[in-house]
Amino acid sequence: GNSPPRFSLATKASSDCSPAERLIEAPVSPERSDPVYSQTSSQDSRWHVWSGWWSEEVKGHTEFVEQETDAGHLPAPSETGKKVREITEEITGCFQQEPIKELKLYKIASELLQTERAYVTRLHLLDQVFCAKLTEEAGKGTFPVEVVKGIFSNVGSIYTFHSQFLLPDLETRMSQWDSTPRIGDILAQLAPFLRMYAEYVKNFDSAMDLLKQWMERSAQLNAIIQDIQSQEVCGNLTLQHHMLEPVQRVPRYEMLLKDYLKKLPEDDPDRSQAEKSLNIISMAATHSNTAIRKMENLKKLMEIYEMLGGEEDIVNPSNELIKEGQILKLAARNTSSMERYLFLFNNMLLYCVPKFSLVGQRFTVRTRVGVEGMKVLETSNDDYPHTFQVSGKERTLELQASSEQDKEDWIKAFQKTIEIFQQKNESFKSASKEVVDEVSVKELGKRAPRWIRDNEVTMCMKCKEPFNPLTRRRHHCRACGYVVCYKCSDYKASLRYDGNKLNKVCKDCYFILTGRVDAEEPVSGKKRGILEIEAAQVSGNSFLCGFLQYSTDRTKPCQRVWCVIPQHDALVLYLYGAPQDVKAQCTIPLLGYQVEDVQRSVDHPPSSFRLRQSKSVHYFTADTEEVKLRWLRVICKAVIGEMPECQTPDVGDVGDLANGCHEGVPDGT
């Protein structure tokens, strides 16, 4: 009859609110400033009933101890008193800790739901407003549809996933939090779909570049974007800012889930699912964090680009700003000093003169000093303290910092930059040496080489130009394993270890494997570009050549072009305006493309086919179905890397032949 009323968070109150909601609505105790403690300790009037009962129970024990003390005995610890205190602390801890843990877990889950709702709103803005309106305008022919696709990538798929799957599941779970207080199982089930962010993040840099380029090129595209950005729904933020949100979202999931696991008891049944989802999300977040850093770096480079009045080569993803600041330059001929401004990058120092202008260009670049071969020395000058010297191949500068600390900061920045640059250069040299030792000239092409890893070099191992993800990407020579740029890998040779198939090789390996010499290149000494090959030259020695109707968009009219698949470059389709043109309009590297039939329509007869690879699509139409089949026999071999066979058509079907392997050239061409 004297047992206390049981205190449980699961007990239903008069309203249907969740336990955590009842805690939030509880009055704050004036005795404690901690809001969580206050909410917990003042949550239910039944606490006073229970505490009154407990006070009566311990009262007798307390009086007993007091009597012992008053009687003159030493106040030795009472076993009964100890037991009372232990039970009191245990029960009090239960009342304080359990509600606090459950409250924190609920708050984390609520934050996840609230931020998810806001995020879906932003995705709707990107996909259903920006992308939809630009796609509609592109359909009118104002600008290419491919531009819009290139900018927004797979944001439509991301929006569908969050709006139709993740958000509804979170809302359902939060409405059932009393009976099912967990979120790890939902995230574990849906986290694998976050891998779709890899495509968006990978495309992010090129999307930003494409957006900037076409906002300057197309007045209509720029007007549509500016109009949407001026609306209240955008919150005075640019399209570029909204496009960064999908990149930032995955790291947000990672942060919330880590916090959730910290508050989750070790024996909680949701822990294994939460840990499983965290592993998947952390992998996706790594790519997003890299993209965020790149975006921040590019934004800073753009600011410097504007401050320098459009200085070339600044906005390059391979450039990284290390330090910038105002400094004094000591004159070489006298003791005067001049105000200057330095921009220290990972590969160069820009020595600038300030311009007194409130807008536009603020500095003029006086000298560029490369980090390669740079040295920094501390100097002493009785008239000018805090001086140091920077010496490079281009120029030597004696500089004065504003304080001793500023001087130390500059010297450390220079030393660290020089050290990192030298380490990368040494890795480049050692990687080159390993390749030379491993693959001899006699074995070249006869066995597969060890590929140099991309992160082991920072520059092309042939022309020494630095790599960047936009204009100078990494390629591997299949013969020696070197990491080279696209210009230095613009060669193909058959390799014995790969069944004598044509493979991409570097320039040096090409000449060794083919037995040619540099003298066989044009007299000018400059290698002709891939388009600078005469049509007549390749047509006379090709697997197949002839006229086809060509287009990259089904909605646009086709163009009649002269198509050639030369024997010296069997995996590439050359497109010329006419059979005697000295330069190709474009080339299509066939390897990896899918060959598909085009659905019959008014614009596309049965003799049509298309080549598709990711976002790249090329439409072709032959004069007859027989001609189409001959082209497909060659192309279907090339797209899988096999050597095609010369196609010999029937004379009666196509008329006169240029040679036994080619289609006839129409009269009058």
Side-chain angles (χ1 to χ4, degrees):
N2 292 329
S3 62
R6 186 179 180 187
F7 181 80
S8 174
L9 285 176
T11 305
K12 286 285 185 181
S14 57
S15 64
D16 293 330
C17 61
S18 66
E21 288 171 335
R22 295 203 302 274
L23 291 175
I24 295 173
E25 295 173 358
V28 178
S29 171
E31 298 177 359
R32 294 292 299 267
S33 60
D34 185 352
V36 176
Y37 177 89
S38 303
Q39 293 164 1
T40 305
S41 60
S42 306
Q43 62 182 324
D44 202 308
S45 59
R46 289 174 294 175
W47 166 259
H48 302 291
V49 178
W50 184 89
S51 60
W53 169 85
W54 181 251
S55 299
E56 292 297 327
E57 285 290 313
V58 302
K59 183 177 181 182
H61 296 290
T62 307
E63 291 175 351
F64 172 78
V65 175
E66 290 175 352
Q67 289 173 3
E68 290 286 324
T69 305
D70 293 340
H73 298 287
L74 291 174
S78 168
E79 292 298 326
T80 307
K82 286 182 180 179
K83 189 65 175 177
V84 169
R85 285 192 297 274
E86 290 174 1
I87 297 175
T88 304
E89 291 172 358
E90 181 180 352
I91 297 178
T92 303
C94 291
F95 282 119
Q96 293 178 358
Q97 297 301 324
E98 292 302 325
I100 292 174
K101 287 182 179 179
E102 190 163 335
L103 172 63
K104 289 182 177 179
L105 291 174
Y106 178 82
K107 283 185 173 181
I108 294 170
S110 296
E111 182 179 356
L112 176 61
L113 176 60
Q114 293 167 6
T115 56
E116 186 67 16
R117 286 171 177 163
Y119 179 55
V120 169
T121 301
R122 296 303 181 194
L123 289 177
H124 180 273
L125 177 65
L126 283 174
D127 184 55
Q128 300 297 309
V129 181
F130 277 109
C131 184
K133 291 191 176 182
L134 289 173
T135 302
E136 180 184 354
E137 183 64 27
K140 301 176 183 178
T142 310
F143 44 83
V145 178
E146 286 74 15
V147 171
V148 183
K149 294 179 180 178
I151 293 173
F152 291 96
S153 186
N154 63 332
V155 73
S157 301
I158 295 175
Y159 170 62
T160 301
F161 165 71
H162 286 272
S163 62
Q164 298 184 17
F165 294 93
L166 184 54
L167 179 58
D169 284 3
L170 288 175
E171 289 177 331
T172 302
R173 176 54 52 84
M174 294 307 296
S175 67
Q176 301 170 351
W177 188 261
D178 281 345
S179 59
T180 317
R182 61 175 65 97
I183 58 173
D185 56 337
I186 292 178
L187 295 177
Q189 181 182 2
L190 297 178
F193 292 95
L194 295 179
R195 292 170 182 165
M196 70 175 67
Y197 277 84
E199 180 179 347
Y200 185 90
V201 172
K202 184 179 180 181
N203 183 67
F204 187 74
D205 288 344
S206 59
M208 293 293 100
D209 185 62
L210 194 62
L211 177 60
K212 178 178 179 295
Q213 175 185 346
W214 279 90
M215 285 185 70
E216 296 173 352
R217 181 182 298 183
S218 172
Q220 189 62 27
L221 182 142
N222 184 56
I224 293 174
I225 293 176
Q226 295 295 341
D227 178 62
I228 299 174
Q229 288 178 168
S230 64
Q231 298 176 16
E232 185 177 355
V233 67
C234 277
N236 295 322
L237 298 176
T238 63
L239 171 57
Q240 290 90 330
H241 181 93
H242 292 299
M243 289 181 64
L244 187 60
E245 290 209 18
V247 179
Q248 296 171 325
R249 184 57 184 166
V250 177
R252 180 69 171 175
Y253 289 133
E254 183 184 30
M255 182 188 69
L256 288 171
L257 199 51
K258 284 181 178 178
D259 197 20
Y260 178 78
L261 280 167
K262 287 181 181 178
K263 308 298 186 299
L264 198 65
E266 290 293 332
D267 58 349
D268 194 283
D270 195 34
R271 173 165 285 277
S272 62
Q273 295 293 321
E275 290 175 344
K276 176 183 176 182
S277 57
L278 178 60
N279 290 334
I280 300 173
I281 291 173
S282 295
M283 293 178 63
T286 301
H287 299 290
S288 297
N289 288 330
T290 302
I292 292 172
R293 288 193 294 270
K294 285 184 178 180
M295 180 60 182
E296 292 173 347
N297 182 54
L298 286 174
K299 286 174 63 178
K300 183 61 181 177
L301 294 177
M302 280 299 302
E303 294 175 3
I304 298 174
Y305 177 83
E306 294 173 357
M307 286 192 291
L308 299 179
E311 183 72 13
E312 295 180 1
D313 301 333
I314 296 299
V315 185
N316 188 318
S318 64
N319 290 343
E320 180 184 353
L321 179 66
I322 306 300
K323 184 175 175 61
E324 65 171 303
Q326 184 177 346
I327 205 161
L328 293 177
K329 162 67 170 62
L330 300 184
R333 297 183 179 180
N334 51 52
T335 57
S336 63
S337 60
M338 298 157 285
E339 184 178 328
R340 296 292 184 262
Y341 202 91
L342 302 181
F343 291 98
L344 176 61
F345 294 90
N346 58 323
N347 57 352
M348 63 181 172
L349 170 69
L350 296 186
Y351 170 69
C352 306
V353 178
K355 291 187 67 175
F356 299 99
S357 174
L358 298 178
V359 293
Q361 183 178 357
R362 293 174 51 193
F363 303 99
T364 300
V365 178
R366 179 66 60 84
T367 304
R368 287 189 179 209
V369 182
V371 173
E372 184 177 7
M374 179 183 288
K375 296 180 181 179
V376 57
L377 300 172
E378 185 175 357
T379 58
S380 59
N381 191 310
D382 295 336
D383 297 326
Y384 296 92
H386 322 309
T387 59
F388 62 99
Q389 178 181 287
V390 176
S391 176
K393 294 180 179 179
E394 296 81 2
R395 187 171 179 182
T396 297
L397 304 169
E398 189 171 3
L399 306 170
Q400 181 186 13
S402 59
S403 64
E404 192 65 24
Q405 183 62 49
D406 187 32
K407 168 186 171 182
E408 292 179 5
D409 292 343
W410 272 111
I411 292 177
K412 287 180 180 179
F414 275 106
Q415 290 175 339
K416 185 176 180 180
T417 303
I418 295 170
E419 180 182 356
I420 294 175
F421 185 90
Q422 289 176 344
Q423 288 175 353
K424 291 182 177 180
N425 196 38
E426 285 301 320
S427 69
F428 161 75
K429 292 179 180 178
S430 62
S432 301
K433 184 178 184 299
E434 288 177 9
V435 174
V436 172
D437 292 341
E438 186 175 347
V439 182
S440 65
V441 174
K442 293 182 179 180
E443 295 177 318
L444 199 65
K446 296 179 181 179
R447 66 184 182 94
R450 184 187 75 84
W451 281 24
I452 302 300
R453 295 183 179 88
D454 287 349
N455 60 2
E456 291 181 356
V457 293
T458 60
M459 61 188 75
C460 174
M461 298 174 73
K462 291 299 177 183
C463 68
K464 309 299 187 296
E465 289 294 327
F467 291 118
N468 67 73
L470 294 181
T471 60
R472 194 176 293 275
R473 302 177 66 181
R474 291 170 166 82
H475 300 270
H476 277 89
C477 171
R478 269 60 173 179
C480 65
Y482 274 36
V483 185
V484 293
C485 66
Y486 75 97
K487 289 184 178 179
C488 294
S489 64
D490 191 19
Y491 300 84
K492 288 185 175 66
S494 58
L495 302 178
R496 187 181 300 181
Y497 77 82
D498 195 24
N500 289 321
K501 293 180 182 178
L502 288 176
N503 279 268
K504 183 189 292 290
V505 296
C506 67
K507 178 180 179 180
D508 292 345
C509 291
Y510 173 77
F511 288 122
I512 293 173
L513 292 168
T514 60
R516 300 183 183 182
V517 294
D518 287 310
E520 292 182 29
E521 288 191 347
V523 179
S524 62
K526 181 180 178 182
K527 181 180 179 294
R528 291 187 298 177
I530 190 171
L531 300 180
E532 297 175 342
I533 300 177
E534 297 181 9
Q537 175 186 342
V538 293
S539 298
N541 189 21
S542 64
F543 289 103
L544 189 62
C545 63
F547 280 103
L548 292 174
Q549 298 290 335
Y550 170 70
S551 175
T552 57
D553 190 344
R554 295 184 63 177
T555 62
K556 295 182 178 180
C558 293
Q559 176 188 2
R560 187 170 174 82
V561 294
W562 179 254
C563 302
V564 183
I565 299 181
Q567 291 187 11
H568 80 276
D569 205 358
L571 306 183
V572 178
L573 174 62
Y574 288 75
L575 305 183
Y576 295 88
Q580 299 301 322
D581 280 358
V582 296
K583 184 177 181 180
Q585 295 180 353
C586 68
T587 60
I588 303 174
L590 298 173
L591 188 63
Y593 270 86
Q594 293 180 345
V595 186
E596 303 172 349
D597 270 328
V598 178
Q599 186 176 1
R600 183 179 300 187
S601 64
V602 177
D603 297 329
H604 296 277
S607 57
S608 298
F609 63 97
R610 67 186 171 197
L611 302 176
R612 179 187 295 276
Q613 186 184 66
S614 184
K615 299 174 184 176
S616 177
V617 183
H618 304 275
Y619 296 91
F620 295 91
T621 301
D623 293 337
T624 65
E625 290 192 66
E626 177 62 23
V627 174
K628 167 188 169 181
L629 291 176
R630 285 200 297 274
W631 278 102
L632 292 183
R633 279 194 288 267
V634 175
I635 293 176
C636 287
K637 290 271 190 180
V639 296
I640 60 175
E642 295 183 4
M643 188 70 68
E645 297 177 356
C646 290
Q647 299 298 301
T648 307
D650 293 334
V651 178
D653 292 338
V654 296
D656 295 334
L657 297 175
N659 59 50
C661 296
H662 311 125
E663 297 178 31
V665 181
D667 295 338
T669 344

